[in-house]
Amino acid sequence: RRIMATVSVCKYYPGGFSFDNCKRNALLEADISKLGFSSPAARKTGTTICGVVYKDGVVLGADTRATEGMIVADKNCSKIHYISPNIYCCGAGTAADTEMTTQIISSNLELHSLSTGRLPRVATANRMLKQMLFRYQGYIGAALVLGGVDCNGPHLYSIYPHGSTDKLPYVTMGSGSLAAMAVFEDRYRPNMEEEEAKRLVRDAIAAGIFNDLGSGSNIDLCVITKGKVDYLRPHDVANKKGVRTGSYRYKHGTTGVLTKTVTPLNLEVVEESVQTMDTS
Amino acid sequence: MSFPASVSTLNNYNDLYPDWTQREVSTGTTIMAVEFDGGVVMGADSRTTTGAYIANRVTDKLTPIHERIFCCRSGSAADTQAIADAVTYQLGFHSIELDEAPLVQTAASLFRDMCYRYREELMAGIIVAGWDPRRGGQVYTVPVGGMMTRQPVSVGGSGSSYIYGYVDSNYRPAMSKEECLKFTAEALTLAMERDGSSGGVVRLAVISEQGVERQVILGNQLPKFSTV
């Protein structure tokens, strides 16, 4: 009896970017601006993310600020995403894009792993991510730092929104990447010990947090070694919320009342309907 | 179907996000390949830029397509990586079907077919070089637009403009392997000195019947020319 080998249950893509929604989007943009509103800005993760390969594995780091325009939308968001038990991925760029992209690849990779009967490899995750991002020609704004340990050792990749990837011993991404890279270029050495690697990543993210407006709050770390993952959230609360030195409540009677006018509104009941609540 | 005039309105940027976080990653680049009797010498710089930021200063732009066929990539990093991956797959499949080492011309044709068919969507300038038993060392160039032609020497990328004079005046037919290596290293160094989008280290590869030998020349070991 022949059984066909299963493949990942991925949707078959007929090829190329689907432009179906472009016309609709253009009309919506035009309609919204005609009414005088501005379409909501996509929440971006601003961000400093980075990764380093050390003696026993990889250390991934990220800040925890998510911005919507100039406002901090989330002071403690999680930017280190799970891909598989041995692979994690930091995401910078549009928050929704990084979240969904990593979830889709995580799902497909689990199916692929069940099909092969093996622990997934970082190179596989890299291929899946780059092929998906290339297919969308950069419109999925996901800039990723992918790291993990597999049967071939520790690996670290940086993945750009247009679908290009680089395999390197240390990488940084996001608006704070220049600050973080400055720290790496100064202090990185091959085959560091775990504590030194964690200190280096912590300091690189801190450089991003304190020198880049798009990054802030805490530092999350993820240490991946063969057989073990330490997800340290938060590893370092770099920005503790201050304690107010006094009470700023005003006492009753602080504002004097000059006049008081009461106007009763005479409303007539037009229609009354009763909707029973189902409490069973 | 008509699209909005400026698609860039879809992404709202503000001062928080500097230009290079938005720009596509480009391989800037200087790439070169030279034929000699018995093989080819290929060379490339190692700089990848996003706008004014160097995203990768140790890039490997000499990508293996098959055992004795490599390609030099210039243009958009995403486009050239995707094309190279696709051609690697197609050539590997073809080689297994044939049960023979593939021809360099076949690899170049595959690149050409893809680069020409999708010429409007792609930005890729590729030099395909390698050795096969039928015609020995060969260099084929597939520039932006999708033309394909065989040349004894070929340069490409943004830095190539600065070294056409040097290459035209210093190339002689029937150079030895060592002369080709020196010629390539010097040409790339000169281009890297003058082109802002090229730099880093010089990566070299020699492909012959014996196989592939790879070298890296670090910044301080590059040939020195007079500094004016």
Side-chain angles (χ1 to χ4, degrees):
Chain A
R1 203 162 107 250
R2 301 262 200 102
I3 303 169
M4 193 175 92
T6 48
V7 257
S8 298
V9 184
C10 318
K11 201 176 112 188
Y12 172 67
Y13 299 103
F17 180 67
S18 165
F19 288 96
D20 298 338
N21 284 331
C22 287
K23 196 169 177 191
R24 175 207 76 173
N25 292 346
L27 291 172
L28 280 173
E29 288 266 337
D31 284 345
I32 288 172
S33 47
K34 234 187 304 202
L35 288 168
F37 300 109
S38 58
S39 39
R43 185 199 293 193
K44 297 183 78 90
T45 46
T47 298
T48 310
I49 52 175
C50 67
V52 123
V53 174
Y54 74 103
K55 196 177 87 182
D56 307 319
V58 301
V59 180
L60 302 175
D63 73 303
T64 61
R65 174 181 289 182
T67 50
E68 241 168 70
M70 277 286 180
I71 300 193
V72 176
D74 191 344
K75 288 182 278 190
N76 196 198
C77 79
S78 169
K79 301 186 191 181
I80 305 183
H81 308 283
Y82 168 89
I83 300 279
S84 77
N86 58 325
I87 304 171
Y88 280 73
C89 185
C90 310
T94 310
D97 288 347
T98 59
E99 190 70 47
M100 294 315 303
T101 303
T102 48
Q103 280 179 6
I104 289 170
I105 265 66
S106 171
S107 168
N108 286 346
L109 204 59
E110 185 172 348
L111 291 167
H112 185 261
S113 166
L114 287 165
S115 172
T116 59
R118 295 175 168 87
L119 198 64
R121 301 187 191 188
V122 190
T124 314
N126 180 54
R127 267 297 163 110
M128 289 174 159
L129 285 162
K130 70 150 54 178
Q131 285 180 349
M132 179 182 170
L133 291 172
F134 183 76
R135 196 160 12 102
Y136 285 91
Q137 287 290 290
Y139 285 100
I140 294 185
L144 310 167
V145 167
L146 176 76
V149 180
D150 58 30
C151 57
N152 291 117
H155 303 281
L156 185 66
Y157 292 88
S158 64
I159 305 171
Y160 291 84
H162 285 264
S164 62
T165 66
D166 290 307
K167 185 175 196 302
L168 291 163
Y170 56 96
V171 294
T172 65
M173 294 283 247
S175 54
S177 65
L178 259 60
M181 183 52 88
V183 174
F184 276 165
E185 289 285 28
D186 184 32
R187 286 158 48 186
Y188 170 83
R189 292 177 309 109
N191 296 113
M192 284 182 286
E193 294 297 329
E194 178 168 323
E195 279 315 306
E196 195 189 344
K198 282 163 73 174
R199 251 197 320 268
L200 182 61
V201 172
R202 184 252 157 231
D203 288 346
I205 300 294
I209 286 173
F210 294 115
N211 299 100
D212 172 45
L213 296 177
S215 312
S217 297
N218 315 323
I219 299 168
D220 290 349
L221 240 57
C222 185
V223 184
I224 310 173
T225 49
K226 193 176 173 68
K228 187 165 79 93
V229 172
D230 275 330
Y231 194 95
L232 305 160
R233 178 176 153 78
H235 169 70
D236 193 328
V237 183
N239 293 285
K240 245 198 236 6
K241 185 169 180 171
V243 178
R244 284 185 205 168
T245 48
S247 169
Y248 300 100
R249 298 195 119 228
Y250 291 102
K251 284 199 294 289
H252 279 290
T254 305
T255 311
V257 179
L258 297 176
T259 52
K260 180 168 151 178
T261 322
V262 176
T263 314
L265 295 170
N266 294 316
L267 306 168
E268 52 177 82
V269 180
V270 175
E271 190 194 306
E272 192 179 314
S273 63
V274 175
Q275 194 156 40
T276 48
M277 190 166 71
D278 186 357
T279 51
S280 55
Chain B
M1 193 194 263
S2 66
F3 302 116
S6 60
V7 183
S8 61
T9 54
L10 285 171
N11 297 310
N12 294 322
Y13 307 136
N14 56 42
D15 291 333
L16 256 187
Y17 310 105
D19 175 53
W20 43 263
T21 50
Q22 266 56 256
R23 293 271 287 274
E24 193 187 334
V25 177
S26 143
T27 43
T29 299
T30 315
I31 50 176
M32 184 167 164
V34 191
E35 286 177 13
F36 66 92
D37 182 23
V40 293
V41 170
M42 306 173 78
D45 74 304
S46 69
R47 182 171 289 184
T48 317
T49 49
T50 25
Y53 179 64
I54 299 172
N56 187 353
R57 59 181 170 83
V58 288
T59 326
D60 186 6
K61 302 180 192 180
L62 304 177
T63 309
I65 304 296
H66 204 263
E67 214 180 311
R68 285 179 179 77
I69 306 175
F70 272 58
C71 75
C72 308
R73 300 181 291 110
S74 73
S76 154
D79 290 351
T80 53
Q81 283 182 16
I83 296 168
D85 287 347
V87 171
T88 305
Y89 163 76
Q90 291 170 354
L91 198 66
F93 193 91
H94 168 72
S95 170
I96 288 171
E97 280 184 320
L98 233 53
D99 198 19
E100 245 178 54
L103 298 175
V104 185
Q105 188 186 15
T106 311
S109 294
L110 289 169
F111 272 107
R112 184 267 318 277
D113 288 348
M114 198 164 290
C115 291
Y116 181 71
R117 184 181 298 264
Y118 298 107
R119 56 183 295 168
E120 304 302 321
E121 288 82 25
L122 294 171
M123 207 199 15
I126 297 174
I127 300 177
V128 186
W131 182 92
D132 63 41
R134 192 181 297 185
R135 297 200 189 112
Q138 301 145 71
V139 171
Y140 295 86
T141 184
V142 182
V144 170
M147 150 185 124
M148 191 256 282
T149 184
R150 181 178 175 184
Q151 291 177 323
V153 192
S154 189
V155 293
S158 57
S160 64
S161 336
Y162 303 99
I163 53 171
Y164 277 108
Y166 180 83
V167 168
D168 288 342
S169 58
N170 285 72
Y171 173 74
R172 299 169 329 269
M175 284 197 285
S176 71
K177 181 178 98 172
E178 288 66 29
E179 285 172 319
C180 285
L181 278 165
K182 181 161 175 287
F183 173 54
T184 307
E186 289 184 346
L188 289 171
T189 305
L190 287 165
M192 282 155 62
E193 281 296 296
R194 288 293 180 175
D195 178 29
S197 307
S198 304
V201 304
V202 169
R203 292 197 188 273
L204 295 165
V206 182
I207 310 176
S208 62
E209 184 176 3
Q210 285 71 42
V212 181
E213 300 160 32
R214 301 209 56 175
Q215 278 178 40
V216 181
I217 307 182
L218 299 179
N220 56 350
Q221 299 158 348
L222 290 170
K224 306 261 185 296
F225 296 94
S226 74
T227 46
V228 176

